[in-house]
Amino acid sequence: MDKLRKVLPPLVLIGLLLIAWWVAVLRTNSAIFPTPLQVVTGTRELIEDGTLWEHIGASLMRVGVGYALAVVLALPLGIWMGRVEAVYVALNPVFQIMRPISPIAWIPIAILWFGVGNASPIFLIFIASVFPLIVQTASSVHTIERRYLRAAENFGVSRLTVLRQVVFPAILPQFIVGMRISLGVGWLVVVAA
């Protein structure tokens, strides 16, 4: 009974939204917007002729490549910005200016540079994902407690060991949050791209 009480309200709301959608399309005689039944029929046709899986695969490939490139660039660059103050002072304003630019605004540049193949959407997903990741990584490096870094310096630990055993474990939770946010942005951009 308790499970039914938790499941019933969302099901009722979804049902009401579907009914409202259906009624709105029928009352407006819309030639653009399909009814829920037409969406289900169209989806079934795409599954049967195999084009749905082809498009899903293409989208997964574009998001995967663009996002992976962003992570590969953002992690070392963000750590470098966080560890070296001169690099942070030089690069942070550039990334703070570029970060709020909508990835959709980059579409004309992507088409001019890469044409209309797979490279343009990959570039747009990369652009959408890389700036939040760089800023998040640099910010998380700045929040590491200095006493941990000073303790490593006092013991004469090498820079590589400090990065591997102090910096990376300290920033990992915030970096994962940044990855999750930028992946969501990447999925939004793949629709527009």
Side-chain angles (χ1 to χ4, degrees):
M1 189 65 171
D2 191 42
K3 284 186 180 182
L4 183 63
R5 203 173 297 157
K6 288 182 180 179
V7 172
L8 194 58
L11 289 177
V12 169
L13 179 63
I14 291 170
L16 289 174
L17 288 173
L18 286 172
I19 290 169
W21 171 11
W22 205 316
V23 169
V25 171
L26 292 178
R27 291 194 46 109
T28 59
N29 293 324
S30 175
I32 298 172
F33 295 106
T35 64
L37 182 61
Q38 290 169 327
V39 169
V40 170
T41 304
T43 304
R44 191 178 69 234
E45 289 172 5
L46 289 175
I47 289 171
E48 288 171 357
D49 71 8
T51 57
L52 180 67
W53 306 118
E54 180 182 328
H55 294 301
I56 288 173
S59 294
L60 284 171
M61 185 275 298
R62 291 171 181 165
V63 171
V65 172
Y67 182 71
L69 290 172
V71 170
V72 165
L73 178 71
L75 182 60
L77 186 57
I79 290 173
W80 188 38
M81 285 175 60
R83 295 284 291 151
V84 181
E85 190 64 28
V87 175
Y88 183 80
V89 169
L91 293 180
N92 188 50
V94 174
F95 293 134
Q96 293 296 351
I97 289 169
M98 303 284 279
R99 186 176 53 88
I101 297 173
S102 171
I104 308 305
W106 290 90
I107 289 176
I109 293 171
I111 292 172
L112 285 174
W113 285 354
F114 302 108
V116 285
N118 279 331
S120 290
I122 290 170
F123 170 76
L124 292 170
I125 292 160
F126 169 79
I127 288 292
S129 303
V130 76
F131 295 129
L133 271 175
I134 290 171
V135 171
Q136 179 73 24
T137 305
S139 172
S140 60
V141 171
H142 279 131
T143 62
I144 297 172
E145 289 205 34
R146 296 291 160 216
R147 63 182 170 168
Y148 298 134
L149 298 172
R150 283 194 299 271
E153 289 171 8
N154 287 343
F155 286 113
V157 176
S158 70
R159 288 184 180 181
L160 183 61
T161 304
V162 169
L163 282 175
R164 206 178 53 229
Q165 293 185 355
V166 177
V167 173
F168 191 71
I171 69 166
L172 190 59
Q174 291 181 15
F175 184 71
I176 290 172
V177 169
M179 287 176 67
R180 186 173 53 96
I181 291 168
S182 63
L183 183 60
V185 173
W187 272 112
L188 290 174
V189 171
V190 78
V191 175

